[in-house]
């Protein structure tokens, strides 16, 4: 589990049909389920300098990294990054986010059904 300095919050947004994604509050180390073909966005809040490296490490081909962007407006604590993924095959993917300064990674699991 990352230290408090490594991560303030993580939020998983499951992009469904339409323009309004369903938001699920998340803490690192949790497991999420998505449907094959579904997009998902993982929001990571940095505390202090540095950022999470892109692309993150993904343990299998069940999930594909699409892109990352900075969320605006910026907050004083540090950058907020939004990582975009797509569920492309049934199975389990462990996504590991390494930080450029902090030593504790953020690790989440995604089950694609």
């Amino acid at each position: 589990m990352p230290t408090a300095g490594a991560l303030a919050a993580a939020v998983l947004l499951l992009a469904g049909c339409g323009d309004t994604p369903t938001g699920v509050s998340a803490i690192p180390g949790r497991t999420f389920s998505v449907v094959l073909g579904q997009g998902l966005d993982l929001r990571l809040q940095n505390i202090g300098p540095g950022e999470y490296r892109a692309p993150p490490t993904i343990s299998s081909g069940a999930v594909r990294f699409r892109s990352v962007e900075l969320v605006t407006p910026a907050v004083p604590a540090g950058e907020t990054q939004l990582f975009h993924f797509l569920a492309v095959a049934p199975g389990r993917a462990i996504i590991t986010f390494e930080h450029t300064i902090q030593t504790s990674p953020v690790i989440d699991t995604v089950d694609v059904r």
Side-chain angles (χ1 to χ4, degrees), residues 18-19 24 26 39 53 65 70 72 74 76 85-86 88 95 109 112:
D19 295 332
V24 178
R53 291 184 179 97
F65 173 72
L70 294 178
T72 56
F85 300 91
L86 181 64
V88 295
I95 303 173
T109 303
V112 179

Side-chain angles (χ1 to χ4, degrees), residues 58-64 86-90 92-93:
I58 303 174
S59 67
S60 76
V63 174
R64 180 174 50 214
L86 181 64
V88 295
R92 174 173 276 192

Side-chain angles (χ1 to χ4, degrees), residues 3-9 45-50 52 75-79 99 101-102:
T3 63
L7 178 73
Q45 175 64 58
N46 293 281
I47 302 298
Y52 290 94
V75 297
E79 294 180 339
H99 197 272
I101 296 175
Q102 302 294 330

Side-chain angles (χ1 to χ4, degrees), residues 33-95:
S33 294
V34 296
V35 177
L36 182 63
Q38 187 173 22
L40 61 104
D41 296 331
L42 189 61
R43 182 185 305 250
L44 298 175
Q45 175 64 58
N46 293 281
I47 302 298
E51 64 183 14
Y52 290 94
R53 291 184 179 97
T57 302
I58 303 174
S59 67
S60 76
V63 174
R64 180 174 50 214
F65 173 72
R66 297 173 77 186
S67 64
V68 64
E69 64 182 294
L70 294 178
V71 176
T72 56
V75 297
E79 294 180 339
T80 302
Q81 293 172 271
L82 186 61
F83 288 82
H84 303 282
F85 300 91
L86 181 64
V88 295
R92 174 173 276 192
I94 298 171
I95 303 173

